[in-house]
Amino acid sequence: MSFTSQFRKRLSALEEREPQTFPEHLFPREYSRAAVLLLFWPGPDDAVELVLTKRTETVSSHRGQVSFPGGVFHAGDGDLAATALRETQEELGIDPDVVTIMGRLDDAWSIAGHHVIPYVGWTRKAPEMQANSHEVAEVIVADVRVLLRPEVNTIHTVDFLDKPRTTLAFDWDGGYVWGLTADMLREFLNWLNDEPCDRFERRLKKMDDLPGMQSR
């Protein structure tokens, strides 16, 4: 069976997966609901491709970082899946009608003040994209087979609340991603390979470091 066929077969089972979720009361009041989209499609030579964006230096949070398209829930969104699709259209010009939401991953959180829900989408072919220059400095298309190689896994160190912290990272020819995006990507790849994953437990444990958590 080809890699693309194996990927699609596995992806079709995602809707049956029961995601792990955070109770809303765990978050400080100022935290908002947000959603991101891990969007895949079949590429050349039996590849499966994934889109990421490098954020501009003028956006409100995570400036210059590589991330999945996404953003904060708006009152007009029907649900958080709609938020992920709307934000993907706003950032990359991808028509929501060409995207099939296959399911979702476990809850996550961002130090920028968001309770993040990651959704997984599929398009039958590479979508037409027109990046929003105000939000997207670069569009990065990654081959999932490359991301699955052990040698692309690394560690990134960042200062958080004046302390050095290490996060997962992926470093490959054509891209570098770390932090929350790498964490969600690792969760997905572990699920894809039917491997154990402790990312949710780690996110839950690290919630004690959330700004405002100790004062709740």
Side-chain angles (χ1 to χ4, degrees), residues 28 48 58 68 102 109 148 173 191 194 198:
V48 172
T58 57
F68 299 118
M102 305 300 296
W109 58 269
L148 286 167
D173 183 16
W191 176 82
D194 199 19
D198 64 352

Side-chain angles (χ1 to χ4, degrees), residues 33-37 69-91 96 101 115 117 119:
R33 297 271 278 177
V36 299
L37 182 65
V72 175
F73 176 82
H74 289 180
D77 297 336
D79 53 25
L80 280 158
T83 299
L85 291 170
R86 174 182 53 75
E87 289 284 346
T88 299
Q89 184 176 34
E90 291 178 3
E91 293 177 24
I101 296 294
H115 175 182
I117 311 300
Y119 287 91

Side-chain angles (χ1 to χ4, degrees), residues 184-215:
M184 293 185 290
L185 180 57
R186 169 48 55 203
E187 179 191 346
F188 177 81
L189 295 177
N190 278 42
W191 176 82
L192 183 66
N193 282 340
D194 199 19
E195 297 170 345
C197 185
D198 64 352
R199 305 321 302 173
F200 180 82
E201 288 75 15
R202 288 173 176 267
R203 294 169 196 162
L204 189 60
K205 185 177 180 180
K206 289 181 178 179
M207 288 184 76
D208 288 339
D209 293 332
L210 279 172
M213 183 60 71
Q214 301 300 329
S215 63

